[in-house]
Amino acid sequence: MGRAFVYVILGGGVAAGYAALEFTKRGVSHGELCIISEESVVPYERPALSKGFLLPEAPARLPSFHTCVGANEERLTPKWYKEHGIEVVLGTWVKSADVKRKTLLTATGETISYKFLIIATGARALKLEEFGLTGSDAGNVCYLRDLADATRLVDVMQSCIGGNAVVIGGGYIGMECAASLVINKLNVTMVFPEAHTMARLFTPKIASYYEDYYIAKGVKFIKGTVMSSFDMDSDGKVTAVNLKDGSWLPADMVVVGIGIRPNTALFEGQLTMEKGGIKVNGRMQASDSSVYAVGDVAAFPVKLFGETRRLEHVDSARKSARHAVAAIMDPEKINEFDYLPFFYSRVFTLSWQFYGDNAGEVVHFGDFSGNTFGAYWVNKGNLVGSFLEGGSKEQYEAISKVTRLRPAIEDLGELEKLGLGYALAESQKLLQPPPPRDGGDSALVLDKRPLYAWHATAGVVVAASVAAFAYWYGRKRRRW
């Protein structure tokens, strides 16, 4: 038993939805495209799960956050896929793949063949058992990766309002879930081995700001240690979390957020791997020319830094999926993927954005006792990364533009003094013809690249219009 399609997307996460929309924009015919997903629902915006989905009042629920509303585009409901002739195979596990034969074998015994395959299998949450611990199957221990996880977390959370919640991990999931637990009136303690929260991105100074904010909301932090075991009751529920430093914490529920691992097992030994993911080129094409990989699972060349990276964020998933489809459908016109790494988060009333790379020396700026502050990273004489909390639309656009330009920085002290004003000033230069080279010295030197004033002005006008609509629409949907 088998079926054949021209295009198959394996995986039903964010990337799959954005790829499907791009296929329809580029004229895919009815019956040519198939999506295979282990989840029981069509693709949705995963960030909603750790934000609006966990709110106690008017929480986000499907179908409100199906893709592609995260980019202010069509909402792809089950009806949409049917109307566009896209076969969606839900709740189905693929147990093996044969890249040479271009076939996938499902757990039900069906063989699905393809001409082009897009691997959008994403990643799975790391479990305690992978660190030699037990307890993941306890009735009040929660993970958060998919809709089923989020639904279970809400049920457990609502059953112990006013109780004690322990969050294991100080990264994205830990920070966002801790905020939601507080909003739901639980007493929250975060436990993690690093010296501060979001250790992969935040500097100690930036982390201190958020930790102080969380502490003011009642969150407790236990740093520099990890859990060693759980105490359980006769019903198989955790009653306490024991830590390696010898202390223990009473617990009515536990949320575990200790990282993710890309789902590459089906293709190991068949495709080239790098940095824990499937290695692809600038067209998102794997070592087999009929296979493309996108999102968390793809290790792709970041042109800005001249190296291959694997990025775990929704923005990368959305954009890499669209690029892969463009490369498949219109290969003669598509350029290499030129992606500026981008990360963001929203917790409580806070909202930050980061662009580029957090390598090199750090220059902090702004009012760390107020609402708006940030940092630049300068590596080998060039600005390579920018972080901003509490910025406006214009300010976030400015740090994005200046990071992509990679301007040369000669004086870190001057950069610190100018702060956010530096990004705003340099982004405005894009509207003007480049000044003549006069050999003059400057404390801050921007790399001079050819700019065409008419194109730049027209582009900015269009971008401003799109951004204004996105800002208006985004405020409407900000709850998730």
Side-chain angles (χ1 to χ4, degrees), residues 301-329:
V302 179
K303 291 178 69 174
L304 205 59
F305 305 123
E307 64 181 59
T308 296
R309 297 196 181 180
R310 192 180 59 77
L311 300 175
E312 299 168 357
H313 196 265
V314 64
D315 185 68
S316 173
R318 291 167 177 162
K319 291 174 180 173
S320 62
R322 286 174 154 167
H323 192 83
V325 174
I328 292 170
M329 299 286 281

PDB file of all heavy atoms in Angstrom, residues 301-329:
ATOM      1  N   PRO A 301      24.478  27.556   6.373  1.00  0.00           N
ATOM      2  CA  PRO A 301      25.500  28.602   6.384  1.00  0.00           C
ATOM      3  C   PRO A 301      24.887  29.978   6.675  1.00  0.00           C
ATOM      4  O   PRO A 301      23.976  30.412   5.963  1.00  0.00           O
ATOM      5  CB  PRO A 301      26.095  28.549   4.975  1.00  0.00           C
ATOM      6  CG  PRO A 301      25.043  27.914   4.131  1.00  0.00           C
ATOM      7  CD  PRO A 301      24.268  26.993   5.016  1.00  0.00           C
ATOM      8  N   VAL A 302      25.360  30.621   7.732  1.00  0.00           N
ATOM      9  CA  VAL A 302      24.944  31.992   8.029  1.00  0.00           C
ATOM     10  C   VAL A 302      25.948  32.910   7.336  1.00  0.00           C
ATOM     11  O   VAL A 302      27.088  33.050   7.780  1.00  0.00           O
ATOM     12  CB  VAL A 302      24.906  32.254   9.548  1.00  0.00           C
ATOM     13  CG1 VAL A 302      24.505  33.699   9.825  1.00  0.00           C
ATOM     14  CG2 VAL A 302      23.926  31.295  10.225  1.00  0.00           C
ATOM     15  N   LYS A 303      25.531  33.515   6.228  1.00  0.00           N
ATOM     16  CA  LYS A 303      26.445  34.297   5.393  1.00  0.00           C
ATOM     17  C   LYS A 303      27.090  35.433   6.175  1.00  0.00           C
ATOM     18  O   LYS A 303      28.264  35.761   5.966  1.00  0.00           O
ATOM     19  CB  LYS A 303      25.689  34.868   4.195  1.00  0.00           C
ATOM     20  CG  LYS A 303      25.257  33.818   3.186  1.00  0.00           C
ATOM     21  CD  LYS A 303      24.465  34.414   2.040  1.00  0.00           C
ATOM     22  CE  LYS A 303      25.304  35.274   1.142  1.00  0.00           C
ATOM     23  NZ  LYS A 303      24.568  35.747  -0.055  1.00  0.00           N
ATOM     24  N   LEU A 304      26.342  36.031   7.079  1.00  0.00           N
ATOM     25  CA  LEU A 304      26.827  37.186   7.825  1.00  0.00           C
ATOM     26  C   LEU A 304      28.084  36.860   8.617  1.00  0.00           C
ATOM     27  O   LEU A 304      28.950  37.712   8.814  1.00  0.00           O
ATOM     28  CB  LEU A 304      25.725  37.680   8.763  1.00  0.00           C
ATOM     29  CG  LEU A 304      25.770  39.147   9.193  1.00  0.00           C
ATOM     30  CD1 LEU A 304      25.708  40.071   7.992  1.00  0.00           C
ATOM     31  CD2 LEU A 304      24.624  39.444  10.154  1.00  0.00           C
ATOM     32  N   PHE A 305      28.186  35.611   9.091  1.00  0.00           N
ATOM     33  CA  PHE A 305      29.321  35.230   9.925  1.00  0.00           C
ATOM     34  C   PHE A 305      30.248  34.225   9.249  1.00  0.00           C
ATOM     35  O   PHE A 305      31.258  33.832   9.813  1.00  0.00           O
ATOM     36  CB  PHE A 305      28.823  34.661  11.253  1.00  0.00           C
ATOM     37  CG  PHE A 305      27.903  35.606  11.987  1.00  0.00           C
ATOM     38  CD1 PHE A 305      26.630  35.228  12.337  1.00  0.00           C
ATOM     39  CD2 PHE A 305      28.316  36.893  12.287  1.00  0.00           C
ATOM     40  CE1 PHE A 305      25.778  36.102  12.992  1.00  0.00           C
ATOM     41  CE2 PHE A 305      27.474  37.773  12.936  1.00  0.00           C
ATOM     42  CZ  PHE A 305      26.203  37.384  13.295  1.00  0.00           C
ATOM     43  N   GLY A 306      29.883  33.784   8.044  1.00  0.00           N
ATOM     44  CA  GLY A 306      30.742  32.887   7.301  1.00  0.00           C
ATOM     45  C   GLY A 306      30.932  31.531   7.939  1.00  0.00           C
ATOM     46  O   GLY A 306      32.002  30.926   7.838  1.00  0.00           O
ATOM     47  N   GLU A 307      29.886  31.034   8.604  1.00  0.00           N
ATOM     48  CA  GLU A 307      29.986  29.719   9.226  1.00  0.00           C
ATOM     49  C   GLU A 307      28.619  29.053   9.295  1.00  0.00           C
ATOM     50  O   GLU A 307      27.578  29.707   9.163  1.00  0.00           O
ATOM     51  CB  GLU A 307      30.591  29.824  10.628  1.00  0.00           C
ATOM     52  CG  GLU A 307      29.759  30.609  11.616  1.00  0.00           C
ATOM     53  CD  GLU A 307      30.426  30.698  12.983  1.00  0.00           C
ATOM     54  OE1 GLU A 307      31.545  31.223  13.044  1.00  0.00           O
ATOM     55  OE2 GLU A 307      29.809  30.258  13.972  1.00  0.00           O
ATOM     56  N   THR A 308      28.645  27.737   9.482  1.00  0.00           N
ATOM     57  CA  THR A 308      27.409  26.966   9.576  1.00  0.00           C
ATOM     58  C   THR A 308      26.883  26.989  11.003  1.00  0.00           C
ATOM     59  O   THR A 308      27.649  26.801  11.955  1.00  0.00           O
ATOM     60  CB  THR A 308      27.657  25.510   9.134  1.00  0.00           C
ATOM     61  OG1 THR A 308      28.027  25.510   7.756  1.00  0.00           O
ATOM     62  CG2 THR A 308      26.411  24.659   9.322  1.00  0.00           C
ATOM     63  N   ARG A 309      25.574  27.214  11.142  1.00  0.00           N
ATOM     64  CA  ARG A 309      24.957  27.220  12.465  1.00  0.00           C
ATOM     65  C   ARG A 309      23.607  26.517  12.413  1.00  0.00           C
ATOM     66  O   ARG A 309      22.981  26.411  11.360  1.00  0.00           O
ATOM     67  CB  ARG A 309      24.751  28.647  12.977  1.00  0.00           C
ATOM     68  CG  ARG A 309      26.059  29.394  13.161  1.00  0.00           C
ATOM     69  CD  ARG A 309      25.879  30.616  14.014  1.00  0.00           C
ATOM     70  NE  ARG A 309      27.146  31.324  14.159  1.00  0.00           N
ATOM     71  CZ  ARG A 309      27.288  32.434  14.854  1.00  0.00           C
ATOM     72  NH1 ARG A 309      26.244  32.965  15.474  1.00  0.00           N
ATOM     73  NH2 ARG A 309      28.465  33.018  14.949  1.00  0.00           N
ATOM     74  N   ARG A 310      23.180  26.049  13.567  1.00  0.00           N
ATOM     75  CA  ARG A 310      21.838  25.498  13.727  1.00  0.00           C
ATOM     76  C   ARG A 310      21.134  26.380  14.748  1.00  0.00           C
ATOM     77  O   ARG A 310      21.604  26.537  15.873  1.00  0.00           O
ATOM     78  CB  ARG A 310      21.896  24.047  14.206  1.00  0.00           C
ATOM     79  CG  ARG A 310      20.565  23.317  14.119  1.00  0.00           C
ATOM     80  CD  ARG A 310      20.694  21.880  14.609  1.00  0.00           C
ATOM     81  NE  ARG A 310      21.157  21.831  15.975  1.00  0.00           N
ATOM     82  CZ  ARG A 310      20.412  22.079  17.051  1.00  0.00           C
ATOM     83  NH1 ARG A 310      19.142  22.421  16.907  1.00  0.00           N
ATOM     84  NH2 ARG A 310      20.920  22.003  18.260  1.00  0.00           N
ATOM     85  N   LEU A 311      20.018  26.989  14.357  1.00  0.00           N
ATOM     86  CA  LEU A 311      19.350  27.974  15.200  1.00  0.00           C
ATOM     87  C   LEU A 311      17.995  27.462  15.670  1.00  0.00           C
ATOM     88  O   LEU A 311      17.193  27.001  14.859  1.00  0.00           O
ATOM     89  CB  LEU A 311      19.173  29.298  14.438  1.00  0.00           C
ATOM     90  CG  LEU A 311      20.470  29.947  13.959  1.00  0.00           C
ATOM     91  CD1 LEU A 311      20.163  31.171  13.107  1.00  0.00           C
ATOM     92  CD2 LEU A 311      21.354  30.332  15.137  1.00  0.00           C
ATOM     93  N   GLU A 312      17.763  27.547  16.973  1.00  0.00           N
ATOM     94  CA  GLU A 312      16.526  27.042  17.558  1.00  0.00           C
ATOM     95  C   GLU A 312      15.592  28.211  17.864  1.00  0.00           C
ATOM     96  O   GLU A 312      15.515  28.683  18.986  1.00  0.00           O
ATOM     97  CB  GLU A 312      16.840  26.257  18.835  1.00  0.00           C
ATOM     98  CG  GLU A 312      17.732  25.045  18.595  1.00  0.00           C
ATOM     99  CD  GLU A 312      18.268  24.446  19.883  1.00  0.00           C
ATOM    100  OE1 GLU A 312      17.999  25.009  20.972  1.00  0.00           O
ATOM    101  OE2 GLU A 312      18.969  23.419  19.803  1.00  0.00           O
ATOM    102  N   HIS A 313      14.892  28.688  16.829  1.00  0.00           N
ATOM    103  CA  HIS A 313      13.947  29.770  17.058  1.00  0.00           C
ATOM    104  C   HIS A 313      12.920  29.808  15.945  1.00  0.00           C
ATOM    105  O   HIS A 313      13.195  29.454  14.798  1.00  0.00           O
ATOM    106  CB  HIS A 313      14.656  31.129  17.156  1.00  0.00           C
ATOM    107  CG  HIS A 313      13.792  32.195  17.762  1.00  0.00           C
ATOM    108  ND1 HIS A 313      13.050  33.061  16.997  1.00  0.00           N
ATOM    109  CD2 HIS A 313      13.522  32.500  19.046  1.00  0.00           C
ATOM    110  CE1 HIS A 313      12.364  33.870  17.803  1.00  0.00           C
ATOM    111  NE2 HIS A 313      12.631  33.551  19.042  1.00  0.00           N
ATOM    112  N   VAL A 314      11.729  30.286  16.282  1.00  0.00           N
ATOM    113  CA  VAL A 314      10.617  30.281  15.353  1.00  0.00           C
ATOM    114  C   VAL A 314      10.886  31.127  14.102  1.00  0.00           C
ATOM    115  O   VAL A 314      10.458  30.791  13.003  1.00  0.00           O
ATOM    116  CB  VAL A 314       9.319  30.744  16.053  1.00  0.00           C
ATOM    117  CG1 VAL A 314       9.416  32.194  16.514  1.00  0.00           C
ATOM    118  CG2 VAL A 314       8.107  30.567  15.156  1.00  0.00           C
ATOM    119  N   ASP A 315      11.593  32.239  14.249  1.00  0.00           N
ATOM    120  CA  ASP A 315      11.854  33.099  13.097  1.00  0.00           C
ATOM    121  C   ASP A 315      12.680  32.368  12.047  1.00  0.00           C
ATOM    122  O   ASP A 315      12.403  32.451  10.848  1.00  0.00           O
ATOM    123  CB  ASP A 315      12.583  34.372  13.553  1.00  0.00           C
ATOM    124  CG  ASP A 315      12.773  35.363  12.420  1.00  0.00           C
ATOM    125  OD1 ASP A 315      11.770  35.918  11.944  1.00  0.00           O
ATOM    126  OD2 ASP A 315      13.936  35.571  12.006  1.00  0.00           O
ATOM    127  N   SER A 316      13.692  31.639  12.499  1.00  0.00           N
ATOM    128  CA  SER A 316      14.506  30.853  11.584  1.00  0.00           C
ATOM    129  C   SER A 316      13.675  29.763  10.917  1.00  0.00           C
ATOM    130  O   SER A 316      13.824  29.493   9.716  1.00  0.00           O
ATOM    131  CB  SER A 316      15.683  30.221  12.346  1.00  0.00           C
ATOM    132  OG  SER A 316      16.404  29.334  11.523  1.00  0.00           O
ATOM    133  N   ALA A 317      12.773  29.141  11.669  1.00  0.00           N
ATOM    134  CA  ALA A 317      11.920  28.090  11.108  1.00  0.00           C
ATOM    135  C   ALA A 317      11.034  28.650   9.998  1.00  0.00           C
ATOM    136  O   ALA A 317      10.911  28.059   8.917  1.00  0.00           O
ATOM    137  CB  ALA A 317      11.063  27.472  12.214  1.00  0.00           C
ATOM    138  N   ARG A 318      10.422  29.796  10.268  1.00  0.00           N
ATOM    139  CA  ARG A 318       9.536  30.402   9.272  1.00  0.00           C
ATOM    140  C   ARG A 318      10.278  30.739   7.985  1.00  0.00           C
ATOM    141  O   ARG A 318       9.854  30.389   6.870  1.00  0.00           O
ATOM    142  CB  ARG A 318       8.916  31.684   9.839  1.00  0.00           C
ATOM    143  CG  ARG A 318       7.921  31.479  10.961  1.00  0.00           C
ATOM    144  CD  ARG A 318       7.634  32.804  11.646  1.00  0.00           C
ATOM    145  NE  ARG A 318       6.623  32.673  12.707  1.00  0.00           N
ATOM    146  CZ  ARG A 318       6.455  33.569  13.668  1.00  0.00           C
ATOM    147  NH1 ARG A 318       7.215  34.662  13.708  1.00  0.00           N
ATOM    148  NH2 ARG A 318       5.525  33.389  14.589  1.00  0.00           N
ATOM    149  N   LYS A 319      11.393  31.441   8.138  1.00  0.00           N
ATOM    150  CA  LYS A 319      12.096  31.961   6.960  1.00  0.00           C
ATOM    151  C   LYS A 319      12.848  30.880   6.193  1.00  0.00           C
ATOM    152  O   LYS A 319      12.904  30.908   4.954  1.00  0.00           O
ATOM    153  CB  LYS A 319      13.025  33.100   7.381  1.00  0.00           C
ATOM    154  CG  LYS A 319      12.239  34.327   7.828  1.00  0.00           C
ATOM    155  CD  LYS A 319      13.130  35.425   8.380  1.00  0.00           C
ATOM    156  CE  LYS A 319      12.278  36.626   8.822  1.00  0.00           C
ATOM    157  NZ  LYS A 319      13.067  37.651   9.524  1.00  0.00           N
ATOM    158  N   SER A 320      13.431  29.913   6.896  1.00  0.00           N
ATOM    159  CA  SER A 320      14.141  28.833   6.193  1.00  0.00           C
ATOM    160  C   SER A 320      13.160  27.961   5.425  1.00  0.00           C
ATOM    161  O   SER A 320      13.469  27.473   4.329  1.00  0.00           O
ATOM    162  CB  SER A 320      14.952  27.995   7.184  1.00  0.00           C
ATOM    163  OG  SER A 320      14.133  27.367   8.153  1.00  0.00           O
ATOM    164  N   ALA A 321      11.934  27.775   5.969  1.00  0.00           N
ATOM    165  CA  ALA A 321      10.924  26.976   5.274  1.00  0.00           C
ATOM    166  C   ALA A 321      10.521  27.640   3.962  1.00  0.00           C
ATOM    167  O   ALA A 321      10.437  26.991   2.912  1.00  0.00           O
ATOM    168  CB  ALA A 321       9.703  26.798   6.175  1.00  0.00           C
ATOM    169  N   ARG A 322      10.292  28.943   4.021  1.00  0.00           N
ATOM    170  CA  ARG A 322       9.911  29.658   2.802  1.00  0.00           C
ATOM    171  C   ARG A 322      11.029  29.624   1.773  1.00  0.00           C
ATOM    172  O   ARG A 322      10.788  29.484   0.565  1.00  0.00           O
ATOM    173  CB  ARG A 322       9.562  31.104   3.155  1.00  0.00           C
ATOM    174  CG  ARG A 322       8.222  31.236   3.863  1.00  0.00           C
ATOM    175  CD  ARG A 322       7.973  32.647   4.317  1.00  0.00           C
ATOM    176  NE  ARG A 322       6.547  32.914   4.425  1.00  0.00           N
ATOM    177  CZ  ARG A 322       6.020  33.972   5.020  1.00  0.00           C
ATOM    178  NH1 ARG A 322       6.817  34.875   5.561  1.00  0.00           N
ATOM    179  NH2 ARG A 322       4.729  34.144   5.079  1.00  0.00           N
ATOM    180  N   HIS A 323      12.265  29.753   2.252  1.00  0.00           N
ATOM    181  CA  HIS A 323      13.396  29.777   1.332  1.00  0.00           C
ATOM    182  C   HIS A 323      13.559  28.419   0.648  1.00  0.00           C
ATOM    183  O   HIS A 323      13.834  28.360  -0.563  1.00  0.00           O
ATOM    184  CB  HIS A 323      14.676  30.135   2.085  1.00  0.00           C
ATOM    185  CG  HIS A 323      15.820  30.456   1.188  1.00  0.00           C
ATOM    186  ND1 HIS A 323      16.008  31.696   0.619  1.00  0.00           N
ATOM    187  CD2 HIS A 323      16.827  29.675   0.715  1.00  0.00           C
ATOM    188  CE1 HIS A 323      17.084  31.683  -0.143  1.00  0.00           C
ATOM    189  NE2 HIS A 323      17.603  30.467  -0.110  1.00  0.00           N
ATOM    190  N   ALA A 324      13.385  27.347   1.399  1.00  0.00           N
ATOM    191  CA  ALA A 324      13.508  26.012   0.812  1.00  0.00           C
ATOM    192  C   ALA A 324      12.479  25.804  -0.292  1.00  0.00           C
ATOM    193  O   ALA A 324      12.796  25.274  -1.366  1.00  0.00           O
ATOM    194  CB  ALA A 324      13.347  24.951   1.899  1.00  0.00           C
ATOM    195  N   VAL A 325      11.247  26.218  -0.048  1.00  0.00           N
ATOM    196  CA  VAL A 325      10.195  26.066  -1.062  1.00  0.00           C
ATOM    197  C   VAL A 325      10.529  26.885  -2.304  1.00  0.00           C
ATOM    198  O   VAL A 325      10.374  26.410  -3.437  1.00  0.00           O
ATOM    199  CB  VAL A 325       8.831  26.483  -0.487  1.00  0.00           C
ATOM    200  CG1 VAL A 325       7.764  26.472  -1.587  1.00  0.00           C
ATOM    201  CG2 VAL A 325       8.423  25.546   0.646  1.00  0.00           C
ATOM    202  N   ALA A 326      11.015  28.113  -2.097  1.00  0.00           N
ATOM    203  CA  ALA A 326      11.402  28.950  -3.233  1.00  0.00           C
ATOM    204  C   ALA A 326      12.522  28.292  -4.033  1.00  0.00           C
ATOM    205  O   ALA A 326      12.527  28.326  -5.273  1.00  0.00           O
ATOM    206  CB  ALA A 326      11.852  30.322  -2.741  1.00  0.00           C
ATOM    207  N   ALA A 327      13.462  27.667  -3.340  1.00  0.00           N
ATOM    208  CA  ALA A 327      14.578  27.005  -4.017  1.00  0.00           C
ATOM    209  C   ALA A 327      14.110  25.803  -4.823  1.00  0.00           C
ATOM    210  O   ALA A 327      14.667  25.494  -5.883  1.00  0.00           O
ATOM    211  CB  ALA A 327      15.620  26.570  -2.992  1.00  0.00           C
ATOM    212  N   ILE A 328      13.098  25.104  -4.334  1.00  0.00           N
ATOM    213  CA  ILE A 328      12.554  23.948  -5.042  1.00  0.00           C
ATOM    214  C   ILE A 328      11.733  24.390  -6.254  1.00  0.00           C
ATOM    215  O   ILE A 328      11.884  23.868  -7.359  1.00  0.00           O
ATOM    216  CB  ILE A 328      11.667  23.103  -4.098  1.00  0.00           C
ATOM    217  CG1 ILE A 328      12.524  22.443  -3.011  1.00  0.00           C
ATOM    218  CG2 ILE A 328      10.898  22.035  -4.880  1.00  0.00           C
ATOM    219  CD1 ILE A 328      11.704  21.795  -1.900  1.00  0.00           C
ATOM    220  N   MET A 329      10.858  25.372  -6.042  1.00  0.00           N
ATOM    221  CA  MET A 329       9.895  25.767  -7.074  1.00  0.00           C
ATOM    222  C   MET A 329      10.462  26.725  -8.115  1.00  0.00           C
ATOM    223  O   MET A 329       9.990  26.753  -9.247  1.00  0.00           O
ATOM    224  CB  MET A 329       8.679  26.417  -6.402  1.00  0.00           C
ATOM    225  CG  MET A 329       7.928  25.509  -5.443  1.00  0.00           C
ATOM    226  SD  MET A 329       6.962  24.250  -6.282  1.00  0.00           S
ATOM    227  CE  MET A 329       5.524  25.209  -6.794  1.00  0.00           C
TER     228      MET A 329
END
